């Protein structure tokens, strides 16, 4: 359920598990959840170079082997998926002409278009799809982040040159999304030679609107428009991905016009991008990727096994004021475990209010009262004194933790904050060895959260590290992943959302937007709910129109 | 002398062995492993423990630490540094690819540092306790205490952004190879200016004080007094007699500085996106790319040991009074 990590800088330091609450947050103006597109009169112009930033050297441009967000951005222009999410998060065929799920949900038939070609002119066929899938599943190939999507795949049937059937072991609703995760790579290129050190890993032959140009180690990667592209041709001549590691330096490059876009930090967004000169030259976009921050409660502990205590802790945590103080009111509070822009998320369920008085009542009801007069609540000889683990280095997580600590103290609960280094932290989380923890989940677009909340998925099997156990949630989760009917699925996930609101596994905190200024000379930018890149057509059809930019800079 | 050199060379072997054990242990015992990093810091329940295990085996990380060490050492004995875990390129090639960038920067910096620091130190010594000596010394110490990442950002803001005179990241412009030979060289030089300054200013205080100190020592020697008594020109005394003798400790110092030529500055190379060794080292540590980290550490260790030896030998060569017999 967790995938591509946009928070590259943090991820490096992190280790296993979703990434930690990190130093990013919201701040800014234009609120949007829907599709936004800036249109210009006169139509798109051809030509020019778009310059984008990547924050570190790419390790590879082999789609099967890539692991980081910036590699993904480059590959996104080089390769077309079989099927993909569009700007409304609906699945659409790309290299495929059509795709269909069988009645029983076990077979997904994908028919390829007959006019698709690799950049070297070879046709794209079923053999390439099969080859790519085999590489992903090859135990000698480090492609775990993709192989996970095909765990439940039984095999692939190659019917003919243009038709493949994904045959699944069981009816599994997220399987269509899994197929969308497959971007074929050319068999005739990668079929010979050592896959891991293949020369084409640094000089890829793709299928997308841009083809590989040049790679200068740790400096830049350039892509050029592929004029023989089978689909609609791109507008710009070149897209250059410059390596600029330092955020402050990158921001300066953005200002001097040497970059057209970059991801910014909360601090930069709030303090450094607000001058009129900048506002005049840049469109500032923010959007919510599928992720949320939470405090996980270990339901095996003497304190948090009681639903009332978990509810009380939620009400003791002033999420609104965090939003105001840390994110300038820019993050969105969440009330459940789904992506806020997904159909699965029930918007009628509002987050629990911040209410220390109600929390104290709940704690009293649960039997946690200060019976020995030491100022700390206790029950059956246990003091209410627990350890909250957070990762070292994350300033935001620490601020969150201290806020909770203070509120708890006033209500007779002692919180000991423990900062742990990445890998140690995740070892503790993965084995369920903690009282409470602060984390962030990154989600897939499919809402299946079986692995995180089903009672069978406790450590060491799955990701239910808080040992959450709710029979109703269990049966709903089972139903949700085997139901293909969209309306029915929506009901199921809304029901899960509802139950988890009443019997919370976590304190759901918020989701923090990505913040990205893009130079106004770039047109054709589409911001999907999921951001400007992670869908079809993504950034494929950006074009350059200098008029606006020039006027602006003369102001 | 020969016996001494051989003895020192022989001593390098056990020292190196010790260093490899310690670095190998530190690098491998640091939390996290490359397979985790390949997950980009995520777990995915769809990844079974078995496939995770299979990945560890692929990298040989399922073996106990001492087995891995011996395997690594055996390959090292044949000067085989192995392959990067991340992109499966030979380690030596990855290092070779980055070396020129770091060498260019560090040679320029060392050169600049010597050219500035030696005269400053000499003048300070000759005009000891003068206003120049005091102000110069204070100013250099102030420079020395300014953090280089901060100075780097200030310089970038001033010369890169406000004035727009100099490029402030990378080693060359995107269209650099279309500029013709001189255009290309000019472009590269412009890119070097800011990183070189940042790399240099901090060492000025140290170097010039060092020169000042050793000059003062020489100036008080009897032969200088003799030269003065003979009525030699003050300039002749300073340059012919004093300076030559001052060079001896400087020579040793430069010998000791040699390893820093290839090690690269992690902070500055990151700030200026300079594609050098420091940058590679940082990336590799982040990715837990053990072969690259170990390769770089080993090469640096060898260079440090050799340059210490070289410095000692130079010392004896430059000053006939010193002998190691």
């Amino acid at each position: 359920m967790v995938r591509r990590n946009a928070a590259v800088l943090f991820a490096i330091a992190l280790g296993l598990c979703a990434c930690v609450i990190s130093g990013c947050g919201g701040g800014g103006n234009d609120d949007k959840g829907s599709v936004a597109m800036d249109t210009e009169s006169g139509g798109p112009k051809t030509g020019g170079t778009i310059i984008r930033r990547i924050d570190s050297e790419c390790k590879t441009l082999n789609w099967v082997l890539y692991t980081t967000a910036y590699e993904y951005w480059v590959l996104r222009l080089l390769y077309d998926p079989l099927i993909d999410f569009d700007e409304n998060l609906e699945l659409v065929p790309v290299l495929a002409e059509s795709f269909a799920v069988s009645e029983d949900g076990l077979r997904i038939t994908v028919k390829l278009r007959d006019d698709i070609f690799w950049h070297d002119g070879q046709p794209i066929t079923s053999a390439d799809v099969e080859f790519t899938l085999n590489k992903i599943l090859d135990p000698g190939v480090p492609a775990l982040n993709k192989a996970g999507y095909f765990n439940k795949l039984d095999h692939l049937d190659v019917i003919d040159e243009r038709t493949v059937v994904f045959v699944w072991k069981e009816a599994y609703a997220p399987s269509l999304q899994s197929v969308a995760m497959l971007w074929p790579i050319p068999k005739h290129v990668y079929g010979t030679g050592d896959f891991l050190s293949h020369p084409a890993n640094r000089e890829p032959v793709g299928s997308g609107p841009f083809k590989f140009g040049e790679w200068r180690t740790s400096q830049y990667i350039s892509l050029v428009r592929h004029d023989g592209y089978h689909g609609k041709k791109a507008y710009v001549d070149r897209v250059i991905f410059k390596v600029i590691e330092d955020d402050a330096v990158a921001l300066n490059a953005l200002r001097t016009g040497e970059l057209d876009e970059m991801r910014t930090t909360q601090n930069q967004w709030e303090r450094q991008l607000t001058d009129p000169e900048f506002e005049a030259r840049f469109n500032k976009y923010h959007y919510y990727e599928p992720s949320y921050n939470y405090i996980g409660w270990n339901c095996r502990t003497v304190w948090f096994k009681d639903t009332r205590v978990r509810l009380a802790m939620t009400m003791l945590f002033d999420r609104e004021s965090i939003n105001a103080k840390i994110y300038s009111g820019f993050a969105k509070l969440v009330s459940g475990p789904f992506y806020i822009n997904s159909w699965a998320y029930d918007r009628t369920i509002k987050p629990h209010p911040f209410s220390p008085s109600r929390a104290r009542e709940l704690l009293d009801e649960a039997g946690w009262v200060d019976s020995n007069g030491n100022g700390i609540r206790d029950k059956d000889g246990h003091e209410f004194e627990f350890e909250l683990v957070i990762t070292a280095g994350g300033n935001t997580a620490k601020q969150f933790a201290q806020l909770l600590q203070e509120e708890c103290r006033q209500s007779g609960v002692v919180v000991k904050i423990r900062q742990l280094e990445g890998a140690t932290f995740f070892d503790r989380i993965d084995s369920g060895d903690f009282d409470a923890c602060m984390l962030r989940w990154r989600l897939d677009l499919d809402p299946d959260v079986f692995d995180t909340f089903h009672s069978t998925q406790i450590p060491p099997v799955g990701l239910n590290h808080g040992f959450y156990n709710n029979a109703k949630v269990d049966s709903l989760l089972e139903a949700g992943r085997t139901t293909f009917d969209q309306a029915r699925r929506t009901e199921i996930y809304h029901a899960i959302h509802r139950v988890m609101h009443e019997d919370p596994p976590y304190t759901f905190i918020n989701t923090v937007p990505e913040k990205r200024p893009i130079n106004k000379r770039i047109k054709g930018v589409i911001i999907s709910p999921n951001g400007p890149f992670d869908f079809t057509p993504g950034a494929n059809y950006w074009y350059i129109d200098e008029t606006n930019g020039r006027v602006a800079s003369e102001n | 002398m020969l016996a001494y050199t051989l003895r020192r060379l022989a001593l390098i072997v056990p020292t190196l062995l010790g260093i490899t054990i310690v670095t190998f242990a530190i690098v491998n015992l640091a939390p996290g492993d490359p397979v985790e990093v390949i997950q980009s810091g995520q777990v995915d329940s769809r990844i079974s423990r078995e496939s995770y295990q299979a990945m560890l085996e692929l990298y040989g990380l399922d073996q106990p630490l001492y087995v891995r060490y011996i395997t690594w050492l055996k390959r090292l004995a044949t000067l085989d540094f192995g392959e990067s875990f991340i992109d499966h390129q030979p380690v030596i090639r990855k290092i070779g690819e980055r070396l020129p960038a770091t060498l260019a920067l560090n040679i320029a910096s060392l050169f600049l540092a010597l050219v500035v620091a030696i005269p400053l130190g000499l003048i300070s010594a000759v005009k000891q306790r003068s206003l120049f000596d005091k102000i110069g010394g204070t100013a250099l110490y102030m420079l020395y205490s300014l953090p280089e990442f901060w100075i780097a950002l200030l310089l970038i803001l001033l010369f890169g952004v406000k004035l727009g005179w100099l490029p402030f990241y990378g080693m060359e412009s995107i269209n650099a190879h279309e500029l013709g030979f001189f255009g290309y060289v000019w472009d590269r030089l412009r890119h070097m200016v800011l990183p070189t300054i940042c790399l240099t200013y901090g060492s000025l205080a140290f170097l010039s004080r060092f020169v000042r100190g050793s000059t003062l020592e020489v100036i008080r020697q009897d032969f200088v007094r003799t030269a003065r008594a003979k009525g030699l020109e003050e300039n002749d005394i300073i340059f012919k007699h004093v300076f030559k003798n001052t060079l001896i400790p400087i020579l040793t110092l430069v010998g000791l500085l040699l390893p820093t030529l290839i090690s690269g500055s992690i902070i500055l190379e990151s700030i200026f996106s300079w594609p050098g060794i420091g940058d590679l080292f940082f990336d590799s540590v982040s990715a837990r790319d053990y072969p690259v980290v170990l390769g770089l550490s080993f090469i640096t260790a060898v260079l440090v040991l050799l340059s210490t030896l070289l410095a000692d030998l130079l010392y004896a060569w430059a000053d006939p009074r010193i002998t190691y017999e």
Side-chain angles (χ1 to χ4, degrees):
Chain A
M1 65 156 304
V2 198
R3 60 165 181 162
R4 285 177 213 125
N5 199 340
V8 188
L9 286 178
F10 310 106
I12 287 169
L14 292 185
L16 277 193
C17 230
C19 73
V20 197
I21 288 175
S22 49
C24 25
N29 37 39
D30 57 328
D31 191 38
K32 46 130 290 299
S34 58
V35 178
M37 182 166 180
D38 57 307
T39 42
E40 273 306 291
S41 54
K45 297 180 170 59
T46 301
T49 302
I50 289 177
I51 306 174
R52 294 171 54 182
R53 176 206 178 188
I54 48 182
D55 19 20
S56 185
E57 163 80 338
C58 289
K59 315 290 183 256
T60 178
L61 285 181
N62 179 331
W63 179 82
V64 171
L65 301 175
Y66 94 87
T67 54
T68 62
Y70 39 92
E71 287 160 338
Y72 172 80
W73 295 332
V74 181
L75 288 163
R76 187 86 227 190
L77 299 179
L78 277 174
Y79 284 91
D80 277 349
L82 281 177
I83 61 177
D84 195 18
F85 292 95
D86 69 3
E87 63 215 54
N88 302 310
L89 307 185
E90 308 278 349
L91 281 169
V92 290
V94 185
L95 283 178
E97 179 183 281
S98 64
F99 59 95
V101 187
S102 66
E103 278 290 311
D104 56 8
L106 289 177
R107 300 166 64 84
I108 299 176
T109 307
V110 177
K111 243 186 147 43
L112 294 176
R113 288 164 51 161
D114 57 6
D115 60 345
I116 47 178
F117 300 93
W118 298 110
H119 291 157
D120 61 5
Q122 298 286 317
I124 302 173
T125 68
S126 305
D128 296 311
V129 178
E130 186 186 28
F131 173 78
T132 309
L133 184 66
N134 287 341
K135 281 298 171 197
I136 291 174
L137 299 175
D138 184 342
V141 173
L144 296 184
N145 52 351
K146 294 156 203 98
Y149 286 98
F150 298 95
N151 266 356
K152 293 189 189 313
L153 183 76
D154 190 68
H155 67 280
L156 183 82
D157 268 344
V158 178
I159 306 293
D160 59 37
E161 282 264 287
R162 304 268 162 219
T163 318
V164 290
V165 182
F166 292 83
V167 183
W168 302 84
K169 292 175 196 155
E170 54 195 85
Y172 178 55
S175 59
L176 255 181
Q177 167 188 268
S178 298
V179 175
M181 292 297 138
L182 186 79
W183 301 4
I185 59 169
K187 181 183 181 183
H188 68 278
V189 174
Y190 287 105
T192 48
D194 178 44
F195 191 68
L196 300 183
S197 60
H198 202 285
N201 294 351
R202 280 183 72 91
E203 218 168 311
V205 176
S207 56
F210 289 90
K211 60 182 178 185
F212 177 75
E214 189 189 6
W215 183 339
R216 304 280 287 170
T217 300
S218 213
Q219 298 201 69
Y220 63 85
I221 291 172
S222 74
L223 308 182
V224 292
R225 183 179 55 237
H226 179 46
D227 284 319
Y229 183 53
H230 44 259
K232 183 178 145 195
K233 269 184 217 127
Y235 299 116
V236 291
D237 297 336
R238 284 198 301 180
V239 178
I240 287 173
F241 291 88
K242 274 194 192 174
V243 180
I244 305 183
E245 291 167 11
D246 189 87
D247 283 340
V249 173
L251 190 61
N252 286 327
L254 189 72
R255 277 186 181 277
T256 56
E258 288 169 69
L259 279 182
D260 286 314
E261 63 93 17
M262 65 179 276
R263 179 175 56 204
T264 58
T265 64
Q266 170 76 17
N267 213 6
Q268 289 177 326
W269 187 262
E270 253 178 63
R271 308 220 172 109
Q272 295 167 34
L273 309 181
T274 49
D275 52 295
E277 200 252 341
F278 191 88
E279 300 268 3
R281 288 174 53 216
F282 291 88
N283 287 315
K284 290 160 73 178
Y285 297 104
H286 75 275
Y287 47 91
Y288 298 84
E289 291 183 336
S291 79
Y292 65 87
N293 297 319
Y294 68 92
I295 305 174
W297 308 110
N298 192 332
C299 302
R300 277 201 176 170
T301 56
V302 57
W303 317 286
F304 305 122
K305 63 184 180 195
D306 191 321
T307 304
R308 289 169 293 188
V309 174
R310 299 198 299 271
L311 273 174
M313 298 313 291
T314 303
M315 291 180 184
L316 278 179
F317 191 44
D318 191 355
R319 288 140 291 151
E320 285 289 1
S321 106
I322 280 182
N323 231 4
K325 281 183 198 145
I326 302 181
Y327 300 107
S328 309
F330 209 27
K332 279 190 180 161
L333 298 196
V334 296
S335 58
F338 307 118
Y339 177 32
I340 50 161
N341 290 327
S342 161
W343 46 266
Y345 189 93
D346 185 348
R347 284 169 196 80
T348 63
I349 300 175
K350 300 298 171 207
H352 290 289
F354 167 62
S355 171
S357 55
R358 178 74 191 121
R360 276 174 221 139
E361 280 169 32
L362 281 168
L363 289 173
D364 290 344
E365 272 173 42
W368 289 98
V369 285
D370 183 11
S371 62
N372 54 12
N374 66 350
I376 302 170
R377 289 171 188 267
D378 56 85
K379 182 184 177 181
D380 307 332
H382 297 283
E383 297 284 334
F384 204 141
E385 191 176 310
F386 70 92
E387 186 179 82
L388 173 64
V389 290
I390 60 176
T391 49
N395 209 9
T396 316
K398 198 170 170 192
Q399 283 173 282
F400 279 31
Q402 285 167 342
L403 206 97
L404 179 70
Q405 187 180 43
E406 178 54 24
E407 285 297 342
C408 281
R409 192 186 59 76
Q410 291 177 18
S411 295
V413 174
V414 176
V415 183
K416 287 178 290 183
I417 301 170
R418 179 91 186 266
Q419 285 190 297
L420 294 173
E421 205 274 340
T424 323
F425 177 79
F426 286 113
D427 276 348
R428 296 269 305 266
I429 303 298
D430 287 346
S431 51
D433 176 22
F434 64 94
D435 301 336
C437 65
M438 223 174 242
L439 270 169
R440 177 164 89 187
W441 277 125
R442 290 190 65 75
L443 305 166
D444 274 346
L445 286 177
D446 190 281
D448 179 29
V449 286
F450 184 90
D451 306 321
T452 2
F453 298 111
H454 196 273
S455 61
T456 56
Q457 300 300 305
I458 56 174
V461 180
L463 301 177
N464 185 358
H465 46 241
F467 300 92
Y468 181 66
N469 187 345
N470 181 311
K472 195 145 181 229
V473 168
D474 278 1
S475 63
L476 285 167
L477 284 170
E478 287 155 26
R481 60 179 1 204
T482 47
T483 304
F484 284 79
D485 178 68
Q486 186 57 46
R488 177 81 196 100
R489 263 199 111 191
T490 308
E491 278 172 34
I492 293 171
Y493 284 99
H494 283 193
I496 293 175
H497 193 161
R498 175 71 57 191
V499 177
M500 283 197 182
H501 187 63
E502 304 305 331
D503 179 24
Y506 299 158
T507 289
F508 297 102
I509 307 175
N510 59 12
T511 174
V512 177
E514 284 280 298
K515 294 152 289 279
R516 193 177 288 273
I518 303 181
N519 196 307
K520 284 187 178 165
R521 75 187 195 110
I522 309 289
K523 304 293 177 193
V525 175
I526 306 170
I527 309 288
S528 82
N530 204 5
F533 307 120
D534 202 356
F535 66 99
T536 292
N540 290 358
Y541 299 111
W542 287 10
Y543 62 95
I544 295 169
D545 186 339
E546 296 279 3
T547 26
N548 194 344
R550 283 220 188 95
V551 172
S553 52
E554 277 164 18
N555 278 346
Chain B
M1 197 68 174
L2 186 67
Y4 173 78
T5 313
L6 289 177
R7 203 164 61 235
R8 283 286 298 267
L9 279 173
L11 264 175
I12 283 182
V13 177
T15 318
L16 259 184
L17 206 63
I19 292 174
T20 58
I21 291 175
V22 173
T23 34
F24 193 88
I26 291 176
V27 167
N28 280 281
L29 294 178
D33 64 56
V35 182
E36 282 181 14
V37 175
I38 285 170
Q39 303 301 331
S40 326
Q42 306 178 0
V43 240
D44 190 323
S45 55
R46 284 171 304 225
I47 297 162
S48 61
R49 302 254 151 183
E50 296 89 78
S51 44
Y52 186 88
Q53 203 54 38
M55 281 302 118
L56 286 179
E57 276 166 39
L58 179 72
Y59 293 117
L61 294 172
D62 55 328
Q63 306 283 335
L65 201 57
Y66 71 92
V67 176
R68 277 149 60 192
Y69 175 70
I70 291 168
T71 317
W72 178 73
L73 203 61
K74 272 187 193 155
R75 293 185 73 171
L76 192 66
T78 62
L79 284 184
D80 175 2
F81 291 96
E83 280 174 9
S84 158
F85 284 164
I86 302 303
D87 58 10
H88 305 274
Q89 303 294 323
V91 170
I92 203 73
R93 185 154 109 210
K94 286 186 74 112
I95 295 176
E97 200 177 41
R98 304 295 192 109
L99 194 57
T102 292
L103 272 182
L105 201 57
N106 289 346
I107 289 176
S109 164
L110 184 65
F111 180 74
L112 183 67
L114 291 175
V115 164
V116 177
I118 292 179
L120 278 182
L122 266 181
I123 299 173
S124 294
V126 173
K127 304 200 185 297
Q128 199 195 356
R129 298 200 184 90
S130 69
L131 201 60
F132 178 89
D133 183 28
K134 281 176 189 153
I135 293 178
T138 317
L140 286 179
Y141 273 108
M142 279 168 72
L143 274 184
Y144 176 68
S145 60
L146 293 175
E148 45 188 26
F149 66 87
W150 183 65
I151 290 293
L153 288 176
L154 287 185
L155 290 179
I156 286 173
L157 213 55
L158 181 62
F159 294 105
V161 182
K162 287 270 182 320
L163 299 171
W165 290 351
L166 290 167
F168 51 88
Y169 61 91
M171 202 167 68
E172 61 187 32
S173 303
I174 282 167
N175 58 354
H177 40 284
E178 297 157 15
L179 298 174
F181 179 73
F182 290 105
Y184 181 71
V185 171
W186 179 238
D187 182 68
R188 291 284 285 260
L189 286 175
R190 279 163 48 84
H191 278 85
M192 277 177 69
V193 176
L194 293 182
T196 308
I197 291 174
C198 292
L199 204 55
T200 309
Y201 77 84
S203 58
L204 288 182
F206 164 67
L207 275 175
S208 70
R209 287 280 115 172
F210 188 85
V211 174
R212 179 179 178 274
S214 54
T215 310
L216 281 177
E217 222 170 87
V218 178
I219 270 181
R220 294 194 194 104
Q221 302 265 333
D222 289 342
F223 72 87
V224 177
R225 199 170 300 134
T226 317
R228 286 218 175 92
K230 272 170 38 184
L232 285 183
E233 287 276 326
E234 186 64 15
N235 276 348
D236 279 353
I237 299 174
I238 299 298
F239 289 105
K240 285 200 182 135
H241 300 278
V242 177
F243 183 55
K244 261 190 193 166
N245 285 288
T246 314
L247 274 180
I248 298 171
I250 296 177
L251 210 55
T252 4
L253 189 71
V254 172
L256 290 173
L257 285 175
L258 283 180
T260 63
L261 280 185
I262 80 128
S263 64
S265 159
I266 291 173
I267 295 173
L268 286 177
E269 288 190 3
S270 294
I271 290 183
F272 289 102
S273 298
W274 194 263
I277 298 282
D279 189 45
L280 176 67
F281 189 76
F282 182 70
D283 279 356
S284 307
V285 170
S286 309
R288 304 290 190 273
D289 195 349
Y290 301 152
V292 178
V293 176
L294 288 169
L296 279 172
S297 311
F298 180 77
I299 291 174
T300 315
V302 170
L303 281 173
V304 170
L305 293 174
L306 285 181
S307 62
T308 325
L309 175 61
L310 184 73
D312 287 346
L313 294 180
L314 277 177
Y315 206 54
W317 170 77
D319 187 346
R321 288 168 301 177
I322 297 166
T323 125
Y324 295 120
E325 297 312 328

